[in-house]
Amino acid sequence: MPSACDPVIEDIEDMVSSTDPTPHERQSARKNIVPRPKKKKELLNDEELQADSVIPGMQKIWMKTWGCSHNNSDGEYMAGQLAASGYKMTEADLWLLNSCTVKNPAEDHFRNSIKKAQEQEKKVVVAGCVPQAQPRMDYLKGLSIIGVQQIDRVVEVVDEAVKGHSVRLLGQKKEGGRRLGGARLDLPKIRKNPLIEIISINTGCLNACTYCKTKHARGDLASYPIEELVKRVRQSFQEGVCEIWLTSEDTGAYGRDIGTDLPTLLWRLVEQIPDGAMLRLGMTNPPYILEHLGEMAKILNHPRVYAFLHVPVQSASDSVLMDMKREYCIDDFKRVVDFLKERVPGVTIATDIICGFPGETEEDFQETLELVKLYRFPSLFINQFYPRPGTPAAKMEQVPAQVKKQRTRELSQLFHSYNPYDHKVGEMQHVLVTEESFDAQYYVAHNKFYEQVLVPKKVEFKGKMIEVEIYEAGKHFMKGRPVEDSKPFNPSIAAPLQQGEVSGLIQRGWYSREISDEQKSFSKLCNLMNSRNKALQTSLGCKIDSAHVCELYHP
């Protein structure tokens, strides 16, 4: 049997060891075979009978997702396919845990959830960036894994998991030798919010940041074709969506691998957006937006596009940026911000900062504080540096923990020392209402600049564009009261789906649990490997994990 560390096996016929008998030896051996009467098949033991009696698709599944909007979109797709195949998405017999590898705390929560599930004797399937990047981790041993580019096969993996098999699909999707963006975009999906569609326009990136673990999971840049994205946006609006989020590890790099670029995509998508509906751009790194600043300014000024851009700076020190391998200097970042502020009045620039990166001096940190004082970012994501295993930054000389904590506190205090929305009290604004506040007391809306506005919780406002007067401002939000005689405008061209309803069923005909030939072959292989491993286990007196075989054999 091949080990899990052997090269990928292309076909089941390749699973022949050098110690196996040759065809000539097999033929010679047949002469010594003595025919015997066929015995009646013995009854299956209790364990085999129980496994064979499991009917996939009848179980309940509980799903948890950590991390970015890209990961959340993956989770929505997996939930949709499982629900379309008959599984119930609720407290459950099996836990599907979709992980994030950006920071240590996220992975800690993921690991603790696995332990909790095992203590409750639940079956576990894991997905997301953690198992994709490090499938050999001890705490993942024996668990079924769905790779980040294999989410369209979640039903197969879960089917095998409920039967007691351990399956791992970690391969990359390719076509004509070129890596694809991932699974199809027209798969069934359960949107967490029926009014918001999250679309991944590409996966991976072109960078090699020394602190980043996500690159190990998502890999190099792979973009979806423009026509496929246009089709997905059109389908989303036909299902009652009124807000589109574009996401990826770096939206600014979109298209560089397929001969196009982000502005070209955005102009095509804008054509599909109904009046009153909105498009929100995802995170873009400075290097890939610099050459498109003029076009990006025009797009952000479009009435159906939020004047909002998330551009992570990470540090204002050029020496730290060099150690991070960020491929830009602080002047590049300032050029992006200054240009957009001049050409897109009121634009919101959100950014990220890492405190205590290896080698960061007090002088480096002071440069970062000065940058925040200069721009007074209304949205600032402050992260204390965590060394991620396997990254170059983890091997660098670390800043003492107490210094990292102190710098994180100091930057947080600076951020909370100013209120970015005080000057907007008294303004009249048009806002799109899409969510409910965490305390369930308000509806959450966003204005043209993607600034959060809390409005009265009236059913007739949900999914509508309304006009409000701002009467109060906080650090992270404003409060607005509806303007009298102003009628809500409905941007949706169709009624939105109900909460928990599966999208995409009509487009793909996912009404019955039809099993493809590929799925049947896969299931047959898993059963074969499971039976073979049991036999080997008995004869060799050792435990063999069937995941090691299934991990190697898949398209």
Side-chain angles (χ1 to χ4, degrees), residues 57-64 75-96 154 158 190 500 502:
M58 305 297 290
Q59 291 75 22
K60 297 177 181 179
I61 297 177
W62 181 74
M63 185 171 181
K64 171 71 175 177
E76 291 178 350
Y77 274 123
M78 288 190 282
Q81 292 171 84
L82 290 167
S85 295
Y87 288 101
K88 304 297 182 185
M89 306 305 294
T90 181
E91 283 294 334
D93 311 298
L94 181 145
W95 286 19
L96 174 53
V154 61
V158 169
I190 296 180
V502 182

Short mmCIF file of all heavy atoms in Angstrom, two decimals, residues 57-64 75-96 154 158 190 500 502:
data_model
loop_
_atom_site.label_atom_id
_atom_site.label_comp_id
_atom_site.label_asym_id
_atom_site.label_seq_id
_atom_site.Cartn_x
_atom_site.Cartn_y
_atom_site.Cartn_z
N GLY A 57 -27.78 11.35 3.51
CA GLY A 57 -28.78 12.34 3.13
C GLY A 57 -29.91 12.45 4.12
O GLY A 57 -30.73 13.37 4.03
N MET A 58 -29.99 11.52 5.08
CA MET A 58 -31.07 11.56 6.08
C MET A 58 -30.62 12.21 7.38
O MET A 58 -31.43 12.45 8.27
CB MET A 58 -31.54 10.13 6.38
CG MET A 58 -31.98 9.34 5.15
SD MET A 58 -33.42 10.09 4.34
CE MET A 58 -34.68 9.71 5.56
N GLN A 59 -29.32 12.50 7.50
CA GLN A 59 -28.78 12.98 8.77
C GLN A 59 -28.91 14.51 8.90
O GLN A 59 -29.15 15.23 7.93
CB GLN A 59 -27.31 12.58 8.89
CG GLN A 59 -27.08 11.09 9.06
CD GLN A 59 -27.29 10.32 7.76
OE1 GLN A 59 -27.20 10.89 6.69
NE2 GLN A 59 -27.59 9.03 7.88
N LYS A 60 -28.69 14.97 10.13
CA LYS A 60 -28.67 16.40 10.42
C LYS A 60 -27.23 16.87 10.53
O LYS A 60 -26.38 16.15 11.06
CB LYS A 60 -29.40 16.69 11.73
CG LYS A 60 -30.89 16.34 11.70
CD LYS A 60 -31.53 16.57 13.05
CE LYS A 60 -33.01 16.18 13.03
NZ LYS A 60 -33.64 16.37 14.36
N ILE A 61 -26.96 18.05 10.01
CA ILE A 61 -25.60 18.58 9.98
C ILE A 61 -25.56 19.96 10.61
O ILE A 61 -26.39 20.82 10.30
CB ILE A 61 -25.07 18.66 8.53
CG1 ILE A 61 -24.98 17.25 7.94
CG2 ILE A 61 -23.70 19.34 8.47
CD1 ILE A 61 -24.54 17.23 6.50
N TRP A 62 -24.60 20.16 11.50
CA TRP A 62 -24.36 21.49 12.06
C TRP A 62 -23.07 22.03 11.47
O TRP A 62 -22.07 21.33 11.40
CB TRP A 62 -24.23 21.42 13.59
CG TRP A 62 -24.00 22.76 14.22
CD1 TRP A 62 -24.92 23.75 14.38
CD2 TRP A 62 -22.77 23.25 14.78
NE1 TRP A 62 -24.35 24.84 15.01
CE2 TRP A 62 -23.03 24.57 15.26
CE3 TRP A 62 -21.49 22.72 14.91
CZ2 TRP A 62 -22.05 25.34 15.86
CZ3 TRP A 62 -20.51 23.49 15.51
CH2 TRP A 62 -20.80 24.79 15.98
N MET A 63 -23.13 23.28 11.01
CA MET A 63 -21.98 23.86 10.31
C MET A 63 -21.53 25.14 10.99
O MET A 63 -22.35 25.97 11.40
CB MET A 63 -22.35 24.14 8.86
CG MET A 63 -21.19 24.64 8.03
SD MET A 63 -21.64 24.72 6.29
CE MET A 63 -20.09 25.28 5.62
N LYS A 64 -20.21 25.30 11.09
CA LYS A 64 -19.63 26.51 11.67
C LYS A 64 -18.52 27.00 10.74
O LYS A 64 -17.67 26.22 10.31
CB LYS A 64 -19.05 26.20 13.06
CG LYS A 64 -18.21 27.31 13.68
CD LYS A 64 -19.06 28.49 14.11
CE LYS A 64 -18.22 29.53 14.84
NZ LYS A 64 -19.00 30.72 15.21
N GLY A 75 -18.69 28.42 2.70
CA GLY A 75 -19.60 27.78 3.64
C GLY A 75 -21.04 27.80 3.15
O GLY A 75 -21.77 26.81 3.31
N GLU A 76 -21.46 28.90 2.55
CA GLU A 76 -22.82 28.99 2.01
C GLU A 76 -23.03 27.98 0.89
O GLU A 76 -24.09 27.36 0.78
CB GLU A 76 -23.08 30.41 1.51
CG GLU A 76 -23.16 31.45 2.62
CD GLU A 76 -23.37 32.87 2.11
OE1 GLU A 76 -23.28 33.09 0.88
OE2 GLU A 76 -23.65 33.76 2.93
N TYR A 77 -22.02 27.81 0.04
CA TYR A 77 -22.12 26.83 -1.04
C TYR A 77 -22.21 25.40 -0.48
O TYR A 77 -23.01 24.58 -0.96
CB TYR A 77 -20.91 26.93 -1.97
CG TYR A 77 -21.05 27.96 -3.06
CD1 TYR A 77 -20.13 29.00 -3.19
CD2 TYR A 77 -22.09 27.90 -3.99
CE1 TYR A 77 -20.24 29.95 -4.20
CE2 TYR A 77 -22.22 28.84 -5.00
CZ TYR A 77 -21.29 29.86 -5.11
OH TYR A 77 -21.41 30.79 -6.10
N MET A 78 -21.39 25.08 0.51
CA MET A 78 -21.42 23.73 1.07
C MET A 78 -22.77 23.45 1.73
O MET A 78 -23.34 22.36 1.57
CB MET A 78 -20.27 23.54 2.06
CG MET A 78 -18.91 23.44 1.38
SD MET A 78 -17.55 22.94 2.46
CE MET A 78 -17.21 24.47 3.34
N ALA A 79 -23.30 24.42 2.47
CA ALA A 79 -24.60 24.24 3.12
C ALA A 79 -25.70 24.04 2.08
O ALA A 79 -26.59 23.20 2.25
CB ALA A 79 -24.92 25.46 3.99
N GLY A 80 -25.64 24.79 0.98
CA GLY A 80 -26.65 24.67 -0.06
C GLY A 80 -26.66 23.31 -0.72
O GLY A 80 -27.73 22.72 -0.96
N GLN A 81 -25.48 22.79 -1.04
CA GLN A 81 -25.41 21.48 -1.69
C GLN A 81 -25.91 20.37 -0.76
O GLN A 81 -26.61 19.45 -1.20
CB GLN A 81 -23.97 21.20 -2.10
CG GLN A 81 -23.45 22.10 -3.21
CD GLN A 81 -21.97 21.92 -3.41
OE1 GLN A 81 -21.53 21.02 -4.11
NE2 GLN A 81 -21.18 22.78 -2.78
N LEU A 82 -25.56 20.47 0.52
CA LEU A 82 -25.99 19.45 1.48
C LEU A 82 -27.50 19.49 1.66
O LEU A 82 -28.16 18.44 1.69
CB LEU A 82 -25.28 19.66 2.82
CG LEU A 82 -23.78 19.33 2.81
CD1 LEU A 82 -23.10 19.87 4.06
CD2 LEU A 82 -23.55 17.83 2.69
N ALA A 83 -28.06 20.69 1.77
CA ALA A 83 -29.51 20.82 1.93
C ALA A 83 -30.24 20.32 0.68
O ALA A 83 -31.27 19.65 0.77
CB ALA A 83 -29.87 22.28 2.22
N ALA A 84 -29.69 20.63 -0.50
CA ALA A 84 -30.31 20.19 -1.75
C ALA A 84 -30.27 18.67 -1.89
O ALA A 84 -31.06 18.09 -2.62
CB ALA A 84 -29.61 20.85 -2.93
N SER A 85 -29.34 18.03 -1.18
CA SER A 85 -29.20 16.58 -1.25
C SER A 85 -29.95 15.86 -0.13
O SER A 85 -29.83 14.65 0.02
CB SER A 85 -27.71 16.20 -1.19
OG SER A 85 -27.04 16.68 -2.32
N GLY A 86 -30.70 16.61 0.67
CA GLY A 86 -31.55 15.99 1.67
C GLY A 86 -31.12 16.14 3.11
O GLY A 86 -31.87 15.84 4.03
N TYR A 87 -29.89 16.61 3.35
CA TYR A 87 -29.43 16.80 4.72
C TYR A 87 -30.13 17.99 5.36
O TYR A 87 -30.47 18.98 4.69
CB TYR A 87 -27.92 17.03 4.76
CG TYR A 87 -27.10 15.80 4.46
CD1 TYR A 87 -26.53 15.61 3.20
CD2 TYR A 87 -26.89 14.81 5.42
CE1 TYR A 87 -25.77 14.48 2.92
CE2 TYR A 87 -26.14 13.68 5.15
CZ TYR A 87 -25.58 13.52 3.89
OH TYR A 87 -24.84 12.40 3.61
N LYS A 88 -30.35 17.91 6.65
CA LYS A 88 -30.96 19.00 7.41
C LYS A 88 -29.86 19.80 8.11
O LYS A 88 -29.05 19.22 8.84
CB LYS A 88 -31.94 18.47 8.45
CG LYS A 88 -33.03 17.58 7.86
CD LYS A 88 -33.91 18.31 6.88
CE LYS A 88 -35.01 17.40 6.34
NZ LYS A 88 -35.81 18.09 5.30
N MET A 89 -29.85 21.12 7.88
CA MET A 89 -28.81 21.97 8.45
C MET A 89 -29.28 22.49 9.81
O MET A 89 -29.91 23.54 9.92
CB MET A 89 -28.49 23.13 7.50
CG MET A 89 -28.12 22.68 6.09
SD MET A 89 -26.76 21.49 6.03
CE MET A 89 -25.41 22.51 6.62
N THR A 90 -28.98 21.73 10.86
CA THR A 90 -29.42 22.09 12.20
C THR A 90 -28.54 21.36 13.21
O THR A 90 -27.54 20.75 12.82
CB THR A 90 -30.91 21.72 12.40
OG1 THR A 90 -31.34 22.10 13.71
CG2 THR A 90 -31.13 20.22 12.21
N GLU A 91 -28.87 21.44 14.51
CA GLU A 91 -28.10 20.68 15.50
C GLU A 91 -28.11 19.22 15.10
O GLU A 91 -29.14 18.68 14.71
CB GLU A 91 -28.72 20.86 16.89
CG GLU A 91 -28.39 22.18 17.54
CD GLU A 91 -26.91 22.33 17.87
OE1 GLU A 91 -26.23 21.30 18.07
OE2 GLU A 91 -26.42 23.47 17.93
N ALA A 92 -26.97 18.53 15.24
CA ALA A 92 -26.78 17.47 14.32
C ALA A 92 -26.03 16.24 14.75
O ALA A 92 -25.43 16.16 15.79
CB ALA A 92 -26.07 18.07 13.14
N ASP A 93 -26.05 15.27 13.77
CA ASP A 93 -25.29 14.03 13.90
C ASP A 93 -23.85 14.22 13.44
O ASP A 93 -22.96 13.48 13.86
CB ASP A 93 -25.94 12.93 13.02
CG ASP A 93 -27.44 12.84 13.23
OD1 ASP A 93 -27.84 12.54 14.36
OD2 ASP A 93 -28.21 13.08 12.28
N LEU A 94 -23.64 15.18 12.56
CA LEU A 94 -22.30 15.43 12.01
C LEU A 94 -22.00 16.92 12.06
O LEU A 94 -22.87 17.75 11.77
CB LEU A 94 -22.23 14.92 10.56
CG LEU A 94 -20.90 15.08 9.82
CD1 LEU A 94 -20.68 13.90 8.87
CD2 LEU A 94 -20.86 16.38 9.00
N TRP A 95 -20.76 17.26 12.42
CA TRP A 95 -20.33 18.65 12.45
C TRP A 95 -19.43 18.91 11.25
O TRP A 95 -18.45 18.18 11.04
CB TRP A 95 -19.57 18.96 13.74
CG TRP A 95 -20.44 19.07 14.97
CD1 TRP A 95 -21.71 18.60 15.11
CD2 TRP A 95 -20.09 19.68 16.21
NE1 TRP A 95 -22.18 18.87 16.37
CE2 TRP A 95 -21.21 19.54 17.07
CE3 TRP A 95 -18.96 20.31 16.69
CZ2 TRP A 95 -21.21 20.03 18.37
CZ3 TRP A 95 -18.96 20.79 17.99
CH2 TRP A 95 -20.07 20.66 18.82
N LEU A 96 -19.75 19.95 10.50
CA LEU A 96 -18.91 20.40 9.39
C LEU A 96 -18.27 21.71 9.81
O LEU A 96 -18.96 22.72 9.99
CB LEU A 96 -19.76 20.58 8.12
CG LEU A 96 -19.07 21.18 6.89
CD1 LEU A 96 -17.81 20.41 6.54
CD2 LEU A 96 -20.04 21.21 5.71
N VAL A 154 -18.67 18.29 -1.53
CA VAL A 154 -18.96 18.16 -0.09
C VAL A 154 -19.95 17.04 0.19
O VAL A 154 -19.84 16.34 1.19
CB VAL A 154 -19.46 19.51 0.48
CG1 VAL A 154 -20.75 19.97 -0.19
CG2 VAL A 154 -19.65 19.43 1.98
N VAL A 158 -19.30 14.01 2.84
CA VAL A 158 -20.19 13.83 3.98
C VAL A 158 -20.88 12.47 3.91
O VAL A 158 -21.04 11.78 4.93
CB VAL A 158 -21.21 14.99 4.06
CG1 VAL A 158 -22.31 14.67 5.08
CG2 VAL A 158 -20.50 16.29 4.44
N ILE A 190 -26.94 28.35 0.33
CA ILE A 190 -27.83 28.96 1.33
C ILE A 190 -27.15 30.22 1.82
O ILE A 190 -26.14 30.16 2.54
CB ILE A 190 -28.10 28.01 2.51
CG1 ILE A 190 -28.87 26.78 2.06
CG2 ILE A 190 -28.91 28.75 3.59
CD1 ILE A 190 -29.17 25.78 3.17
N GLY A 500 -32.69 30.50 4.94
CA GLY A 500 -32.44 29.07 4.89
C GLY A 500 -32.84 28.40 3.60
O GLY A 500 -32.57 27.21 3.40
N VAL A 502 -32.66 27.34 -0.28
CA VAL A 502 -31.52 27.04 -1.14
C VAL A 502 -31.66 27.77 -2.47
O VAL A 502 -32.69 27.69 -3.13
CB VAL A 502 -31.41 25.53 -1.40
CG1 VAL A 502 -30.20 25.22 -2.27
CG2 VAL A 502 -31.33 24.77 -0.08
#
